[in-house]
């Protein structure tokens, strides 16, 4: 076929205009610093405060770990490509796909685990200590990491079998499955089917479970007679629901359509939300709206 296997890729990024690069670099550097410092602070505050050693904060620590993994997989290379060469080796690209897809699946599953925790706490308060004991929480967290690891292993393995010879230009700011499939000179139907299936199970399936749990939660909250009780119950769920809606809507949009319909500008903007904005907002949303975390942070700083 007289085709040469691509051994490195050129990351197109956002813009080749120097003036725009000067705007994008500090913006993404700020997002990375906020995500890294915020999630590390969440882990330190919860780990140092015995009062926060509960299932809800246990899952929040896992979420902080996932957000650090996600942003550290994407943003350092993106920042480097803005000031130096924009190429990434074939191996580096595959590693980026593997760890990003791992963090993506883990985050989707963690949202479901957190929704289950809130469902049990509000709808079955008398059985909470039994249904959410430390062993159950550890098993749920282990299942989250292992299922997402299996998902990324399958999708990355299918990607490894593809030859990339049409072009070496990745029309994105990092290596992600949809733009890479466009570069393959072999049929990608199986890859698209598996990516679609994973999205239906991990994104659409988990989102449906979360929405069902919140319907039960809201119905239970409305039966609470005291206004203070209702407000306290809503405050424990509103942060999680806000993050879930932001994250799931963008992920479902990206992976639900075939690679052939991949749109350069639109999909890059959507990807920024779940790779950079959401991990930066998570610690702010969960800490600024949570009196327990703010109290523990004040004790830690004092």
């Amino acid at each position: 076929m007289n085709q040469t296997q691509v051994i490195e890729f050129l990351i197109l990024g956002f813009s080749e205009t120097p003036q725009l690069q000067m705007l994008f670099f500090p913006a993404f550097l700020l997002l990375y610093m906020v995500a890294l410092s915020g999630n590390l602070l969440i882990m330190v505050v919860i780990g140092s405060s015995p009062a926060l050693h509960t299932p809800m904060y246990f899952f929040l620590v896992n979420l902080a770990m996932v957000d650090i993994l996600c942003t550290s997989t994407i943003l350092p290379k993106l920042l480097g490509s803005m000031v130096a060469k924009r190429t990434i080796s074939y191996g580096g690209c595959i590693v980026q796909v593997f760890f990003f897809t791992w963090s993506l699946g883990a985050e989707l599953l963690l949202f479901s685990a957190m929704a289950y925790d809130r469902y049990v706490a509000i709808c079955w308060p008398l059985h909470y200590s039994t249904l959410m004991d430390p062993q159950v929480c550890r098993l749920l967290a282990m299942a989250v990491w292992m299922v997402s690891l299996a998902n990324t292993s399958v999708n990355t393995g299918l990607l490894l079998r593809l030859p990339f010879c049409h072009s070496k230009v990745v029309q994105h700011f990092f290596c992600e499955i949809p733009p890479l499939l466009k570069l393959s000179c072999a049929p990608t139907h199986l890859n698209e089917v598996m990516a679609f299936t994973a999205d239906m199970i991990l994104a659409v399936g988990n989102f449906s479970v979360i929405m069902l749990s919140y319907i039960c939660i809201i119905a239970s909250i409305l039966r609470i007679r005291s206004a203070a009780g209702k407000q306290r119950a809503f405050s424990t769920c509103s942060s999680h629901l806000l993050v879930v809606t932001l994250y799931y809507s963008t992920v479902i949009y990206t992976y639900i359509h075939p690679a052939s319909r991949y749109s350069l500008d639109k999909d890059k903007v959507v990807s920024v939300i779940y790779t950079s904005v959401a991990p930066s907002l998570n610690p702010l949303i969960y800490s600024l709206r949570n009196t327990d975390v703010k109290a523990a942070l004040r004790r830690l700083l004092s």
Side-chain angles (χ1 to χ4, degrees):
M1 295 174 64
N2 294 326
Q3 293 172 324
T4 303
Q5 174 71 32
V6 172
I7 60 173
E8 68 175 11
F9 294 99
L10 177 66
I11 304 296
L12 193 61
F14 287 94
S15 174
E16 298 183 4
T17 307
Q19 291 81 0
L20 291 178
Q21 292 279 35
M22 292 176 61
L23 294 175
F24 286 134
F25 184 85
F28 279 101
L29 179 60
L30 178 63
L31 284 173
Y32 184 50
M33 297 304 297
V34 169
L36 196 61
S37 57
N39 285 292
L40 284 173
L41 184 61
I42 285 286
M43 295 171 64
V44 171
V45 169
I46 294 175
S48 62
S49 177
L52 299 182
H53 293 176
T54 63
M56 181 173 71
Y57 297 108
F58 172 76
F59 291 122
L60 189 55
V61 168
N62 278 268
L63 182 64
M65 294 168 58
V66 170
D67 285 338
I68 291 173
L69 175 63
C70 177
T71 53
S72 298
T73 300
I74 304 300
L75 295 185
K77 180 60 181 176
L78 172 63
L79 292 170
S81 67
M82 290 182 178
V83 295
K85 63 178 183 178
R86 293 183 294 165
T87 58
I88 183 172
S89 66
Y90 174 81
C93 189
I94 295 298
V95 167
Q96 197 174 58
V97 168
F98 180 87
F99 283 103
F100 168 70
T101 309
W102 191 10
S103 66
L104 182 68
E107 186 132 6
L108 295 172
L109 290 167
L110 265 174
F111 285 143
S112 293
M114 295 170 75
Y116 174 71
D117 171 69
R118 293 299 84 206
Y119 166 76
V120 175
I122 294 174
C123 298
W124 301 90
L126 298 179
H127 301 279
Y128 183 75
S129 59
T130 303
L131 295 175
M132 295 300 296
D133 64 20
Q135 185 176 358
V136 172
C137 293
R138 286 192 292 269
L139 288 174
L140 282 174
M142 187 181 300
V144 164
W145 287 99
M146 295 308 294
V147 169
S148 56
L149 178 61
N151 171 62
T152 190
S153 299
V154 170
N155 281 284
T156 307
L158 289 173
L159 198 64
L160 282 170
R161 72 182 183 86
L162 295 178
F164 296 96
C165 45
H166 281 166
S167 172
K168 69 173 186 178
V169 180
V170 178
Q171 297 185 349
H172 210 342
F173 61 91
F174 70 102
C175 291
E176 193 176 14
I177 292 176
L180 285 176
L181 294 184
K182 292 193 70 175
L183 305 182
S184 176
C185 50
T188 60
H189 178 70
L190 180 59
N191 298 74
E192 292 189 12
V193 168
M194 289 305 299
F196 180 83
T197 302
D199 190 58
M200 291 299 294
I201 295 173
L202 294 178
V204 179
N206 278 290
F207 186 72
S208 301
V209 170
I210 291 172
M211 289 298 101
L212 181 61
S213 68
Y214 271 102
I215 290 173
C216 297
I217 288 171
I218 292 172
S220 181
I221 290 175
L222 292 177
R223 289 196 293 268
I224 298 175
R225 293 185 178 182
S226 68
K230 289 181 179 180
Q231 184 177 2
R232 187 167 57 252
F234 270 121
S235 67
T236 63
C237 302
S238 57
S239 299
H240 179 243
L241 191 58
L242 176 64
V243 173
V244 163
T245 303
L246 175 68
Y247 199 85
Y248 273 90
S249 59
T250 54
V251 171
I252 291 173
Y253 168 80
T254 300
Y255 287 89
I256 207 73
H257 59 68
S260 57
R261 297 184 183 178
Y262 180 79
S263 171
L264 174 60
D265 296 323
K266 188 184 297 184
D267 284 50
K268 281 198 293 187
V269 171
V270 171
S271 297
V272 167
I273 295 175
Y274 60 80
T275 60
S276 308
V277 176
S280 303
L281 289 179
N282 283 351
L284 297 176
I285 292 173
Y286 282 109
S287 60
L288 293 178
R289 295 175 59 86
N290 192 301
T291 55
D292 294 334
V293 174
K294 286 189 288 187
L297 180 59
R298 283 194 294 267
R299 286 195 298 269
L300 181 65
L301 295 178
S302 62

